[in-house]
Amino acid sequence: MEVQWFGAETPKLGSPLRVVCLIVSILLATWSSQALEMSVGKVPFMEALNGSTVMLPCTYSSCIGIKDLYFNWQFNDNGTMKRVCESTIVAQGVMPVVKIMRKRVEFVGNNVNNNVSILLWNITFEDGGQYTCFGINPKEKFKNHSATFELIVVDELRSVDNTLTIIIASAVGGAIALLMGFMLLKNFTLFVLSKLEEKNKECLVTSSGIDNTENGLSGSKAATKPTPKKK
């Protein structure tokens, strides 16, 4: 008995190496779809004002669940990774006891929603840089994953130039107004033409009646004169 391999030479089932390779490939594909994932959202950066308070978001996900999930936040200080906080989540829904290793940092995550976010109070320019949210799940044979979030600290938030947006909005609004005006003019013209057509039809009918009367045709006034009596 042979197994058909598309795009390759047909091997026999008796080849143990090929069978092992096939099994390993299937297991790896299945395992990768269940791996732990850490996420900092769709926008992995933030521009914040000096002295403000900001939240660095991070959530985790796992298809097969967690057990003793270890996570931490790290700050890239000129190439040196320094831990901001760390903890272990025993199981899904259990709130972790978080160890804080940096000033003005607060853990605000809610494990019910797989949230391990942190809050930075009264940020300074030294707080600007890359923060990494890292996690490792023993239940997935210690699968680990990390996501990076960049904090940019500024003196003044940049004003957004809306000139182009205003121009586009004005052009679109003008085009819509022009189209509506054209439609109204078209409907008014059609209405006037229909009224004129109705008036022309009435005139034709009236004119036809007058002509019949003058020619003494049947149904006209001339045809309805009484016959004079004989003396």
Side-chain angles (χ1 to χ4, degrees), residues 101-151:
M101 305 172 183
R102 187 180 176 93
K103 294 180 180 180
R104 297 175 285 104
V105 174
E106 179 184 354
F107 179 76
V108 293
N110 183 355
N111 189 36
V112 177
N113 299 319
N114 299 350
N115 194 332
V116 291
S117 304
I118 60 174
L119 203 67
L120 301 184
W121 291 87
N122 301 324
I123 60 173
T124 64
F125 291 105
E126 288 73 19
D127 294 322
Q130 291 184 341
Y131 291 80
T132 300
C133 180
F134 172 83
I136 182 170
N137 188 17
K139 191 173 182 179
E140 295 177 304
K141 296 189 181 297
F142 295 93
K143 283 283 185 178
N144 62 80
H145 190 252
S146 63
T148 301
F149 189 90
E150 184 172 3
L151 175 63

Side-chain angles (χ1 to χ4, degrees), residues 15-210:
S15 175
L17 180 59
R18 293 185 181 276
V19 174
V20 170
C21 290
L22 177 61
I23 294 174
V24 170
S25 299
I26 294 174
L27 289 176
L28 287 176
T30 305
W31 189 256
S32 62
S33 65
Q34 298 176 342
L36 175 71
E37 181 180 358
M38 311 298 288
S39 173
V40 293
K42 295 182 179 180
V43 183
F45 64 89
M46 176 190 297
E47 191 174 274
L49 195 62
N50 181 31
S52 62
T53 298
V54 298
M55 185 183 72
L56 306 185
C58 184
T59 58
Y60 67 85
S61 61
S62 173
C63 294
I64 64 175
I66 64 166
K67 182 179 180 181
D68 295 329
L69 169 69
Y70 170 79
F71 75 91
N72 66 39
W73 276 92
Q74 302 176 54
F75 174 64
N76 188 350
D77 187 5
N78 295 323
T80 302
M81 300 302 293
K82 295 183 178 180
R83 291 187 183 180
V84 176
C85 66
E86 66 177 359
S87 183
T88 299
I89 302 175
V90 179
Q92 190 76 29
V94 178
M95 290 296 294
V97 178
V98 182
K99 182 180 179 181
I100 305 296
M101 305 172 183
R102 187 180 176 93
K103 294 180 180 180
R104 297 175 285 104
V105 174
E106 179 184 354
F107 179 76
V108 293
N110 183 355
N111 189 36
V112 177
N113 299 319
N114 299 350
N115 194 332
V116 291
S117 304
I118 60 174
L119 203 67
L120 301 184
W121 291 87
N122 301 324
I123 60 173
T124 64
F125 291 105
E126 288 73 19
D127 294 322
Q130 291 184 341
Y131 291 80
T132 300
C133 180
F134 172 83
I136 182 170
N137 188 17
K139 191 173 182 179
E140 295 177 304
K141 296 189 181 297
F142 295 93
K143 283 283 185 178
N144 62 80
H145 190 252
S146 63
T148 301
F149 189 90
E150 184 172 3
L151 175 63
I152 305 170
V153 183
V154 296
D155 266 333
E156 183 180 354
L157 294 177
R158 292 175 296 179
S159 58
V160 180
D161 188 3
N162 295 323
T163 304
L164 181 60
T165 304
I166 294 174
I167 293 175
I168 295 175
S170 301
V172 173
I176 294 175
L178 183 62
L179 180 61
M180 292 180 64
F182 173 76
M183 294 300 295
L184 289 174
L185 180 61
K186 177 183 177 182
N187 292 335
F188 178 74
T189 303
L190 292 175
F191 175 77
V192 172
L193 290 176
S194 64
K195 290 299 183 181
L196 290 175
E197 186 176 357
E198 290 178 2
K199 187 174 181 180
N200 289 335
K201 287 182 178 179
E202 291 177 358
C203 291
L204 289 175
V205 172
T206 305
S207 175
S208 177
I210 293 174

